[in-house]
């Protein structure tokens, strides 16, 4: 057997064996054993690595994880499509993926042209956005049901920011939209590689819901020009849009209004039937195609001159071209960040929900990387920013999509449309595309969420109202800034003003709960039990100290038990909910302890090494309060220095009876027998 020792002074000492003379001192029967001396590393000693212990631990975990990763796992990490390709069941999945891909593809073609018009672009760029990014995402995206491409909200953001830089009829407008897609892709990939998606968690869901609802109203009003037959001002604010609609009322034209309204009504009916009845589920996906076909037939039959048409659409696949006009990149950064935030909140949220519903795991960073790569490669083929679509993803999932092959089929449908069907799109009326956009965004006005927030949390309701109102009246950028700022302000306020509860004992138990939530819980005179339900750090130490000082004077004596005392003797801090304490908090607790000590008040910490349970701390404190409340008796001159055995026994008996009476809260003096742990007395009586 080999013995190993650590030496604090010797270095590079060889391994040696215990000599026979040394072993004889320990006994002749003890065998010779090798001894190995290991130099002890002091904190101030120079080591071979310049990394601190935390960095070395992180680095060692990272290297160990790399060593454990197999070649197949590396391939799955960089190409998530390999996960479902390797286990693909052709007989079970192919038919479902084929039908889902055909359904989404048929739905995507007219929607892509509609959203391109909403973005202020030629319809062909909507088709380009629904082509290359789909194939890229099918390879690098981790969700198997998410359908990406042009969406209404991103299209509105593109139109809003680019409309303030250049006229939509200018070629520069298109180049900037493509550049914006490239910038969004770079941001998404960067956040994915650095795993910074958690930053978006600070934006409340009520902020996103309010922003989306207000944006949907603005989108619907911006499409009014195709129904009314005259141009209106391009704006993201509701007041200029309404003024423009009213001022141009004398230019109103009946044919586009009647056609657009009829198509919109048909779309809404088909959507309602598709959602409410299972046998008509296909109607929801067939709605946009129906609108396009119906509008085109009406134009072919009646040839109305007052209805504007889509016009010529180039035939063929998009060509390869690097994004240009990088000198405008700085002005596009805020919009790129906003679109990235929408992608994280909406697309990743939808992808996670679909993954949980279909029983597979999804990596948020990989998902964000797939979206970013789709935008980068899409911009090289003339696509503007794309992200996950809620409506098409829902249709894709309901149609039975099992893998990313459904997205590939949808991309093939789009490619065939670009190659062979673009001449047929020339006669599509603009009001039909406007009806498609309007029907899609009407479901985004989430007034049910507002009613729910009003009933559940007034603070979130205020956030919803604040975000939606500012977005409607002050514009998208200000609405987002106000909503995000208010959301962060609420987070900071909650962190700097944590919940603090006064605890009381539930009758008949040793459990202590918040006296506001449990009115039947009672406390003890001279003792305050406080629970801090948050980490303690520099931002909330002042608030916590102020609240603890208040408990010294603001004491409700209606539910208190025990001896009547005039002052506070003990403050017990329940530390179990506290997960973190920084140096400022430690200093604040020291100062608070000194303040209490100067006023003859003791502070005790539970779950921090002093006491394990609140009940244990209360037992000790109550005995001290009881002894302090009793009037000291004058010593008997006939007694010796040490009390007799019988006097000590009598005194102990009196203390036990007093404690038993305190614990029960009544006037009984009998000593009950406790046979169950949860009914144990407040103080253990000595046997």
């Amino acid at each position: 057997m080999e013995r190993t020792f650590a030496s604090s002074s010797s270095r590079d000492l060889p391994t040696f064996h215990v000599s026979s003379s040394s072993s004889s001192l320990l006994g002749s029967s003890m065998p010779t054993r090798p001894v190995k001396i290991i130099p002890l590393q002091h904190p101030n000693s120079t080591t071979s690595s310049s990394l601190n212990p935390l960095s070395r631990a992180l680095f060692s975990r990272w290297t160990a994880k790399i060593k454990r990763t197999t070649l197949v796992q590396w391939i799955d990490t960089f190409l998530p499509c390999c996960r479902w390709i390797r286990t693909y069941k052709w007989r079970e999945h192919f038919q479902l993926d084929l039908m889902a891909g055909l359904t989404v593809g048929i739905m995507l073609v007219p929607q892509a042209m509609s959203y391109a018009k909403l973005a202020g672009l030629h319809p062909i760029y909507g088709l380009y956005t629904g082509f290359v990014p789909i194939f890229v995402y099918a390879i690098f995206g981790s969700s198997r049901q998410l359908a990406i491409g042009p969406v209404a909200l991103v299209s509105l953001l593109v139109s809003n920011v680019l409309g303030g830089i250049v006229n939509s009829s200018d070629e520069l407008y298109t180049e900037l939209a493509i550049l914006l897609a490239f910038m969004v892709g770079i941001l998404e990939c960067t956040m994915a590689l650095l795993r910074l998606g958690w930053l978006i968690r600070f934006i409340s869901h009520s902020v996103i819901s309010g922003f989306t609802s207000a944006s949907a109203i603005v989108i619907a009003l911006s499409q009014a020009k195709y129904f009314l037959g005259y141009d209106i001002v391009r704006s993201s604010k509701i007041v200029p849009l309404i003024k423009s609609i009213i001022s141009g009322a004398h230019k109103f034209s009946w044919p586009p209004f009647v056609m657009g309204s009829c198509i919109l009504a048909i779309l809404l009916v088909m959507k309602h039937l598709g959602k409410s009845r299972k046998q008509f589920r296909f109607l929801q996906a067939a709605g946009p195609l129906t609108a396009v076909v119906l509008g085109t037939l009406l134009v072919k039959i009646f040839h109305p001159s007052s209805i504007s048409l889509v016009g010529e659409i180039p035939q063929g696949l998009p060509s390869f071209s690097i994004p240009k006009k990088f000198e405008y990149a700085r002005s596009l950064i805020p919009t790129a960040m906003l679109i990235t935030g929408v992608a994280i909140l909406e697309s990743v949220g939808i992808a996670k929900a679909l993954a949980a519903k279909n029983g597979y795991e999804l990596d948020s960073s990989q998902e964000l990387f797939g979206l970013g790569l789709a935008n980068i490669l899409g911009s090289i083929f003339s696509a503007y920013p794309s992200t996950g679509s809620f409506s098409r993803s829902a249709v894709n999932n309901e149609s039975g999509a099992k893998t990313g092959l459904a997205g590939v089929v949808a991309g093939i449908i789009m490619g065939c449309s670009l190659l062979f069907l673009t001449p047929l799109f020339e006669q599509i009326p603009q009001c039909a595309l406007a009806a498609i956009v309007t029907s899609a965004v009407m479901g985004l006005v989430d007034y049910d969420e507002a009613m729910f927030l009003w009933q559940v949390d007034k603070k979130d309701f205020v956030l919803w109202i604040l975000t939606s109102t500012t977005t409607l009246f002050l514009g998208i950028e200000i609405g987002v800034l106000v909503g995000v700022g208010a959301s962060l302000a609420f987070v900071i306020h909650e962190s700097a003003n944590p919940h603090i509860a006064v605890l009381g004992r539930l009758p008949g138990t040793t459990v202590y709960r918040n006296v506001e939530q449990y009115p039947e819980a009672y406390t003890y005179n001279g003792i305050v039990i406080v629970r801090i339900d948050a980490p303690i750090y520099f931002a909330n130490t002042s608030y916590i100290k102020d609240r603890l000082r208040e408990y010294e004077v603001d004491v409700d004596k209606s539910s208190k038990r025990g001896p009547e005392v005039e002052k506070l003797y003990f403050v017990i801090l329940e530390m179990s909910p506290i997960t973190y304490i920084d140096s400022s908090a430690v200093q604040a607790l020291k100062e608070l302890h000194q303040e209490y000590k100067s006023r003859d008040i003791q502070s005790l910490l539970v779950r921090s090494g002093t006491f394990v349970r609140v009940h244990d701390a209360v037992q000790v404190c109550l005995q001290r309060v009881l002894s302090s409340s009793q009037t000291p008796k004058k010593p008997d001159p006939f007694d010796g220095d040490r009390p007799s055995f019988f006097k000590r026994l009598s005194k102990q008996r009196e203390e036990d009876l007093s404690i038993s009476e305190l614990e029960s809260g009544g006037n009984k003096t009998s000593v009950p027998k406790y046979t169950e742990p949860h009914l144990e007395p407040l103080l253990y009586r000595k046997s």
Side-chain angles (χ1 to χ4, degrees):
M1 181 183 294
E2 181 182 75
R3 289 185 176 183
T4 305
F5 299 94
S7 170
S8 60
S9 57
S10 301
R11 296 178 181 273
D12 301 327
L13 293 179
T15 301
F16 66 92
H17 296 273
V18 179
S19 63
S20 59
S21 61
S22 300
S23 63
S24 63
L25 296 175
L26 301 174
S28 58
S29 61
M30 186 174 181
T32 302
R33 298 176 181 176
V35 177
K36 185 178 182 180
I37 298 178
I38 301 176
L40 181 64
Q41 294 286 349
H42 291 278
N44 57 354
S45 62
T46 304
T47 61
S48 59
S49 175
S50 61
L51 298 174
N52 57 46
L54 179 59
S55 300
R56 286 200 302 269
L58 293 174
F59 181 74
S60 61
R61 281 203 301 266
W62 184 68
T63 54
K65 185 178 180 180
I66 291 178
K67 291 178 180 178
R68 289 196 306 267
T69 306
T70 63
L71 178 61
V72 175
Q73 290 174 335
W74 279 115
I75 295 175
D76 290 345
T77 300
F78 291 103
L79 297 173
C81 63
C82 295
R83 298 171 188 170
W84 56 263
I85 291 176
R86 192 168 53 250
T87 59
Y88 195 80
K89 300 176 182 178
W90 287 94
R91 292 184 178 180
E92 298 178 17
H93 296 167
F94 180 71
Q95 185 176 358
L96 294 172
D97 285 338
L98 180 63
M99 292 304 299
L102 289 172
T103 304
V104 173
I106 291 172
M107 184 179 183
L108 174 60
V109 172
Q111 276 192 349
M113 292 187 289
S114 304
Y115 293 149
K117 293 293 295 182
L118 174 62
L121 297 167
H122 192 279
I124 189 62
Y125 293 101
L127 298 177
Y128 290 162
T129 307
F131 179 56
V132 173
I134 289 183
F135 291 104
V136 177
Y137 181 81
I139 298 172
F140 296 98
S142 55
S143 176
R144 303 174 189 179
Q145 285 80 29
L146 186 69
I148 75 163
V151 296
L153 184 55
V154 173
S155 299
L156 177 65
L157 294 174
V158 171
S159 172
N160 183 63
V161 67
L162 298 186
I165 299 176
V166 64
N167 191 282
S168 59
S169 60
D170 198 323
E171 186 179 352
L172 178 61
Y173 187 97
T174 302
E175 293 177 352
L176 292 181
I178 296 171
L179 175 62
L180 188 59
F182 181 80
M183 295 175 61
V184 168
I186 293 294
L187 276 176
E188 289 174 341
C189 288
T190 302
M191 293 188 71
L193 294 174
L194 298 179
R195 295 187 173 272
L196 297 178
W198 58 270
L199 291 172
I200 310 297
R201 299 175 193 168
F202 288 98
I203 303 177
S204 171
H205 175 72
S206 55
V207 171
I208 298 301
S209 177
F211 169 70
T212 305
S213 299
S215 299
I217 296 173
V218 172
I219 291 171
L221 288 175
S222 68
Q223 298 299 297
K225 62 181 180 180
Y226 300 113
F227 289 88
L228 302 176
Y230 58 87
D231 288 334
I232 60 175
V233 66
R234 181 187 293 272
S235 176
S236 62
K237 305 174 185 177
I238 190 172
V239 174
L241 286 172
I242 293 177
K243 284 184 177 180
S244 179
I245 291 172
I246 294 174
S247 62
H250 62 281
K251 304 176 186 176
F252 176 76
S253 177
W254 279 103
F257 178 78
V258 173
M259 179 182 291
S261 300
C262 291
I263 293 176
L264 178 60
I266 293 172
L267 285 171
L268 294 177
V269 170
M270 294 178 70
K271 181 185 289 188
H272 175 73
L273 290 175
K275 289 183 177 180
S276 59
R277 300 192 179 184
K278 211 173 222 184
Q279 62 270 28
F280 298 129
R281 191 169 54 188
F282 67 94
L283 291 178
Q284 183 179 359
L289 180 63
T290 303
V292 168
V293 172
L294 183 60
T296 304
L297 288 176
L298 290 175
V299 169
K300 289 281 189 181
I301 294 172
F302 296 104
H303 303 285
S305 58
S306 58
I307 295 180
S308 59
L309 305 178
V310 170
E312 183 180 358
I313 296 180
Q315 190 173 5
L317 301 178
S319 58
F320 179 89
S321 63
I322 302 296
K324 307 172 184 176
K325 306 298 180 183
F326 282 94
E327 60 269 20
Y328 292 90
R330 180 176 297 180
S331 61
L332 299 178
I333 289 177
T335 305
M337 295 176 64
L338 183 57
I339 295 174
T340 303
V342 171
I344 295 174
L345 290 166
E346 296 295 329
S347 299
V348 178
I350 297 168
K352 281 188 173 181
L354 293 174
K357 191 173 182 179
N358 289 274
Y360 63 91
E361 295 183 359
L362 184 137
D363 185 358
S364 299
S365 297
Q366 180 64 55
E367 182 68 15
L368 195 57
F369 182 79
L371 289 170
L373 206 57
N375 274 302
I376 292 174
L377 296 180
S379 66
I380 297 175
F381 291 93
S382 304
Y384 76 96
S386 62
T387 189
S389 167
F390 180 81
S391 59
R392 293 196 299 272
S393 298
V395 169
N396 196 33
N397 183 63
E398 291 171 3
S399 300
K402 296 297 181 183
T403 66
L405 184 61
V408 174
V409 174
I412 293 174
I413 296 296
M414 181 61 73
C416 293
S417 301
L418 286 168
L419 288 172
F420 309 112
L421 301 180
T422 50
L424 301 177
F425 299 156
E426 296 177 5
Q427 299 296 316
I428 298 176
Q430 302 257 27
C431 59
L433 298 181
I436 293 173
V437 173
T438 305
S439 66
V441 301
M442 285 180 69
L444 298 179
V445 182
D446 200 358
Y447 54 85
D448 290 334
E449 177 72 10
M451 296 297 102
F452 173 77
L453 294 176
W454 171 258
Q455 297 173 359
V456 175
D457 192 342
K458 300 295 189 297
K459 180 185 66 178
D460 283 341
F461 176 77
V462 171
L463 276 177
W464 193 96
I465 293 294
L466 182 64
T467 306
S468 59
T469 303
T470 51
T471 302
L472 281 174
F473 291 96
L474 301 179
I476 292 176
E477 290 86 356
I478 297 178
V480 170
L481 289 176
V482 170
V484 172
S487 182
L488 290 176
F490 276 119
V491 171
I492 295 171
H493 179 270
E494 290 295 327
S495 178
N497 300 272
H499 179 261
I500 301 177
V502 176
L503 304 184
R505 183 181 179 186
L506 297 180
T509 70
T510 60
V511 177
Y512 293 78
R513 292 290 183 265
N514 187 350
V515 294
E516 293 184 358
Q517 297 178 350
Y518 295 85
E520 68 275 14
Y522 58 85
T523 57
Y524 295 98
N525 291 314
I527 303 173
V528 173
I529 310 168
V530 179
R531 186 186 69 209
I532 304 171
D533 297 327
I536 307 178
Y537 69 112
F538 65 92
N540 60 17
T541 52
S542 298
Y543 174 81
I544 293 173
K545 289 170 66 176
D546 293 341
R547 289 295 303 274
L548 291 176
R549 293 189 189 104
E550 292 175 5
Y551 293 138
E552 296 183 45
V553 293
D554 187 16
V555 178
D556 182 15
K557 297 185 178 181
S558 60
S559 62
K560 286 187 173 293
R561 300 187 182 187
E564 294 292 337
V565 292
E566 298 299 328
K567 65 182 295 291
L568 183 66
Y569 285 92
F570 292 96
V571 175
I572 301 175
L573 297 180
E574 162 68 297
M575 306 289 285
S576 57
I578 301 173
T579 57
Y580 172 75
I581 298 179
D582 70 351
S583 58
S584 300
V586 173
Q587 185 63 31
L589 290 176
K590 287 181 180 180
E591 294 173 358
L592 191 64
H593 176 72
Q594 293 300 325
E595 288 182 24
Y596 283 144
K597 191 175 181 180
S598 65
R599 295 193 295 273
D600 198 21
I601 300 173
Q602 293 189 31
S603 58
L604 293 86
L605 306 181
V606 179
R607 306 285 176 91
S608 65
T610 309
F611 293 97
V612 177
R613 301 185 304 167
V614 174
H615 186 60
D616 299 333
V618 173
Q619 289 186 44
V620 175
C621 297
L622 190 58
Q623 188 173 24
R624 171 69 182 276
V625 173
L626 180 62
S627 62
S628 301
S629 65
Q630 294 175 347
T631 304
K633 297 180 180 180
K634 294 182 179 180
D636 192 345
F638 296 99
D639 289 341
D641 293 337
R642 179 174 297 187
S644 66
F645 170 76
F646 294 102
K647 287 185 178 181
R648 284 188 280 114
L649 184 62
S650 176
K651 183 179 180 181
Q652 181 64 43
R653 179 66 173 173
E654 290 176 1
E655 290 181 358
D656 287 349
L657 291 175
S658 299
I659 295 299
S660 177
E661 182 179 353
L662 279 176
E663 187 251 350
S664 61
N667 298 321
K668 296 179 182 180
T669 57
S670 60
V671 182
K673 293 183 178 180
Y674 293 87
T675 58
E676 298 183 16
H678 70 282
L679 296 178
E680 62 180 325
L682 195 58
L683 284 173
Y684 294 108
R685 290 181 293 279
K686 299 177 181 178
S687 56

